[in-house]
Structure formats: structure tokens, C-alpha cells
Amino acid sequence: MSSEENTGFEPATGDGPPPAEPAAVRAASVRTAFEGLLQIRRLTGDGRPDPVAAPAPWELNRPVRAVALALESSGATPSAVDPSGRRVSAGYRVGDGESAGSVRVEWAGPPGSGAAHDEEEALAGCASALRELGWTVLLYRGPRRRRYLEVEPPSGLSGGHGRA
């Protein structure tokens, strides 16, 4: 029995351990979860010309999980940490944003990994993948001039207050 069967599928946020399962197994799990998300959009998007073009209520109530799934399904690489919390690989990192219902996406990596050098191009790819799925994405510069994305539902959609 895999760990996923014991705990359910969790998209990679960039703050977890490196994947324990083979890449093909993880890719199949991500694909299944993403197809489920698109099906939720189809079922809840009645009345919209393209029901899969905007986040569903499920996503708005779990924006960190939804954005992490969208990024992982796009082929973006998540960062990872070891058991002590030390970053061990470069990639996206998803967490709560500045305002309720928003998500922050950073490009993080261990010292010397080149994450800061790669972030502009990597975050542009993340932004493109998220915009294709109907999210509003803004690019900012934070401390030490590091770039990050602030991801929000499109105008007219509002999420719940839960965080996951």
C-alpha cells in the first residue's frame, strides 16, 4: 500500500520532502487529481461559456492546494525540504498570500542552487500555467529584490475563508 493510499493525494507545495514514489507513479496521481479538478469545474461551472476556464468553488476554498495542483500538473518542479526543514531542491513554493483567498508562489532553493537566478523565467512559466486556468496572477518584488507571484481568483469570484 502506498503512502498516498494511506493519506490521500496531496499536491506538492514545495515545503514537503522529495517524492518517495517513482516519477511515473507520481505523474499518474497528479494527472488523476487534475482531471478530477477539471471535472469539478465542469460540474460547477454551469452558465459559463467555458466551465473549465475559471476556478471552481472547491479551489476557492482551498487555494493553496488548487494552485499547487495546477503547477504540479503543468510540469513545474516543486522545491523540497529534508526532515530538518532545510531546503534540498529548487522549485516552486506555494503558500498563503497577503490577502484572504490569495496564494503566494515563490521560486525557492537551497543556497548555491541558482534559484534566484532562475526565478524570473521559472515564475513566468508558473504564471502562464495559472493564467491558462483562469487565475489572476501578479508579479511582485519582495525583500532582497526576489520575485514572487500573488495569485487570486478572477474578479467576480470569491472564495471561502478556509486554508488548506
Side-chain angles (χ1 to χ4, degrees):
M1 197 180 253
S2 75
S3 63
E4 181 180 314
E5 290 170 343
N6 292 330
T7 62
F9 176 80
E10 284 295 326
T13 63
D15 281 334
E21 67 236 331
V25 171
R26 180 66 186 184
S29 295
V30 170
R31 190 170 39 257
T32 299
F34 186 69
E35 288 169 2
L37 179 132
L38 293 178
Q39 185 62 17
I40 290 169
R41 284 183 173 198
R42 284 184 200 97
L43 293 171
T44 61
D46 288 348
R48 284 192 232 136
D50 182 359
V52 298
W58 178 91
E59 295 170 86
L60 303 178
N61 288 314
R62 297 160 192 82
V64 170
R65 289 186 74 193
V67 167
L69 177 57
L71 291 175
E72 192 171 3
S73 71
S74 77
T77 303
S79 184
V81 296
D82 67 14
S84 72
R86 193 176 52 125
R87 201 146 303 277
V88 295
S89 65
Y92 67 79
R93 179 177 180 264
V94 179
D96 290 333
E98 299 286 323
S99 60
S102 71
V103 176
R104 182 178 174 129
V105 178
E106 304 168 321
W107 197 257
S113 68
H117 181 283
D118 298 335
E119 75 184 4
E120 183 174 11
E121 183 177 343
L123 287 174
C126 292
S128 176
L130 293 168
R131 285 185 184 117
E132 286 178 18
L133 291 170
W135 292 96
T136 299
V137 183
L138 303 169
L139 176 66
Y140 291 100
R141 281 193 189 261
R144 297 184 315 274
R145 302 192 45 79
R146 293 293 306 262
R147 294 172 183 87
Y148 67 93
L149 303 175
E150 193 75 17
V151 183
E152 302 171 344
S155 299
L157 293 181
S158 61
H161 301 288
R163 298 279 185 172

